[in-house]
Amino acid sequence: MEPPNEDTSLIDFPWVVVRFRCHFCARSKDARLAGLAWLYGEQATLKWLLAEFRKPCAWNPANLERKPQKYGRKCGAYLTDIGRTSPPDLPPSMSGLTVIEGGKDDQLGTESTPGPKRRRIGGN
């Protein structure tokens, strides 16, 4: 399964909920996939939906109510599930065990190995 990206349409989105968040403010929205497809159509892309989420933001660069600022803050809206390969609501117990490279043979020994002897230079 290929992880979703901004060009993924709603019909190809693999999970039931689309989650929107913002880095700078407390804005967040969890929208059900069926509801978004009913409102905006099944061919709507995640990039377009993210632009719709940004519209009411005061920090949106496209918002004409604010004067553009060269070094001002921009809207920090993002989709939390972009690039994710496992479902966001999968309980940890259902994800299975993880194989760790190496094993008991690759562990360091518990015996201490004698290192080079140190000697003091100068002084008494």
Side-chain angles (χ1 to χ4, degrees), residues 99-116:
V99 177
I100 299 174
E101 291 295 324
K104 190 172 184 178
D105 294 336
D106 293 341
Q107 292 179 349
L108 295 174
T110 56
E111 301 86 30
S112 63
T113 57

Side-chain angles (χ1 to χ4, degrees), residues 61-79:
N63 193 347
L64 300 176
E65 295 176 14
R66 291 187 67 84
K67 179 182 174 190
Q69 299 173 351
K70 184 174 182 178
Y71 298 109
R73 183 186 290 181
K74 305 284 190 289
C75 180
Y78 66 99
L79 291 160

Side-chain angles (χ1 to χ4, degrees), residues 37-58:
W38 183 75
L39 282 173
Y40 302 111
E42 60 190 25
Q43 296 302 322
T45 62
L46 296 178
K47 184 188 300 186
W48 187 81
L49 289 171
L50 189 60
E52 288 294 310
F53 179 72
R54 283 184 177 141
K55 275 187 181 177
C57 181

Side-chain angles (χ1 to χ4, degrees), residues 1-119:
M1 177 178 85
E2 184 178 324
N5 57 32
E6 288 186 341
D7 296 326
T8 303
S9 62
L10 288 178
I11 198 165
D12 296 326
F13 192 72
W15 300 298
V16 177
V17 176
V18 182
R19 300 183 304 164
F20 300 91
R21 300 289 185 269
C22 181
H23 287 291
F24 302 123
C25 64
R27 293 180 65 226
S28 67
K29 175 73 177 167
D30 292 345
R32 296 192 58 85
L33 188 64
L36 289 173
W38 183 75
L39 282 173
Y40 302 111
E42 60 190 25
Q43 296 302 322
T45 62
L46 296 178
K47 184 188 300 186
W48 187 81
L49 289 171
L50 189 60
E52 288 294 310
F53 179 72
R54 283 184 177 141
K55 275 187 181 177
C57 181
W59 297 104
N60 186 3
N63 193 347
L64 300 176
E65 295 176 14
R66 291 187 67 84
K67 179 182 174 190
Q69 299 173 351
K70 184 174 182 178
Y71 298 109
R73 183 186 290 181
K74 305 284 190 289
C75 180
Y78 66 99
L79 291 160
T80 59
D81 300 323
I82 292 287
R84 189 178 191 132
T85 57
S86 63
D89 57 350
L90 187 67
S93 62
M94 291 185 68
S95 64
L97 299 175
T98 305
V99 177
I100 299 174
E101 291 295 324
K104 190 172 184 178
D105 294 336
D106 293 341
Q107 292 179 349
L108 295 174
T110 56
E111 301 86 30
S112 63
T113 57
K117 297 213 175 211
R118 295 184 185 180
R119 63 184 184 128

